[in-house]
Amino acid sequence: VDCMWGSWSACTVECGNGTRTRDISQAATNSGKDCTGPSTEICIITSCTATHLSALGATAKQNGDSAGRPVTLAIDGSPTTVTGQSIGSGTCASTSQSTNPWLQIDLKAAYLVSRVRAIIFGSSGQNVNVHVGNSVTNNGLDNHICGIPPYDSSTNTDAIWRDVSCSPPVWGKYIVSQRIVTYRFLEVCEVTFNYELEIAILE
């Protein structure tokens, strides 16, 4: 009787690179043929959407820092939301006062970005373009504009999550937010993003 393999196990991950295994279900007997081939192999799950990722671990820059509000506060993994009050020093990043202020995040790798979420304070959330792409030309502002976060004037004293969907998703290493305004600030408390994988399962 020849050796027989059992079925492959499920992949060890739900999204991305993992492994799967199989066991011998019947050993060779009476001079039968032994099993050949691996008992473990790589598996890659395709077309999955990851949960949102923090930009923690990325690097960032903006066109000038306001006192006590460096750009690193937008990627520190500590989202801060407030309603009906001002934000204190050391809580949210803020550009210097300028025309069309911007904040750029370098994710350190290219992702297929499907959504960008940012906590933007008050009127800073008005007329903001969110760019995603791989170019650093013009500080990344020449990259594709995924969209403009929704804005409601009743939230002028709130630091709240504002979402932009990239439809279809856009490959990008850089996420750049720019407020189209004359001589104002852009105040961003935290940035996260969603990404998708478009890769094939290895058999």
Side-chain angles (χ1 to χ4, degrees):
V1 178
D2 293 340
C3 173
M4 295 181 62
W5 285 108
S7 300
W8 287 103
S9 68
C11 194
T12 54
V13 298
E14 295 182 357
C15 188
N17 297 349
T19 58
R20 61 182 185 178
T21 60
R22 61 180 178 175
D23 297 319
I24 292 174
S25 63
Q26 178 178 291
T29 59
N30 299 326
S31 300
K33 294 180 180 179
D34 291 331
C35 285
T36 59
S39 60
T40 302
E41 70 175 10
I42 295 172
C43 53
I44 306 178
I45 304 300
T46 183
S47 298
C48 51
T49 301
T51 56
H52 79 270
L53 297 178
S54 169
L56 181 66
T59 58
K61 65 179 182 178
Q62 59 188 8
N63 60 326
D65 294 340
S66 290
R69 295 179 180 176
V71 69
T72 51
L73 293 174
I75 54 171
D76 62 358
S78 299
T80 298
T81 58
V82 298
T83 302
Q85 58 183 303
S86 62
I87 51 176
S89 177
T91 302
C92 301
S94 178
T95 65
S96 57
Q97 194 169 22
S98 59
T99 296
N100 301 335
W102 54 267
L103 182 149
Q104 178 205 96
I105 296 174
D106 180 351
L107 300 174
K108 298 302 183 182
Y111 294 85
L112 188 58
V113 178
S114 57
R115 183 175 70 160
V116 177
R117 302 192 74 213
I119 301 175
I120 304 177
F121 180 72
S123 60
S124 281
Q126 186 175 16
N127 297 328
V128 174
N129 291 333
V130 177
H131 302 252
V132 176
N134 290 308
S135 173
V136 292
T137 303
N138 191 25
N139 296 305
L141 294 171
D142 290 343
N143 287 320
H144 175 77
I145 297 177
C146 277
I148 301 173
Y151 173 75
D152 182 342
S153 60
S154 67
T155 63
N156 268 350
T157 56
D158 301 340
I160 59 174
W161 286 106
R162 304 176 194 268
D163 291 11
V164 169
S165 294
C166 300
S167 183
V170 178
W171 279 106
K173 180 184 177 185
Y174 301 98
I175 297 174
V176 186
S177 299
Q178 183 181 42
R179 183 183 180 192
I180 307 303
V181 67
T182 301
Y183 207 60
R184 291 289 187 271
F185 300 98
L186 174 61
E187 298 172 286
V188 179
C189 305
E190 194 67 29
V191 176
T192 67
F193 66 102
N194 284 60
Y195 76 94
E196 296 185 0
L197 293 175
E198 285 194 347
I199 44 186
I201 296 176
L202 295 181
E203 296 292 351

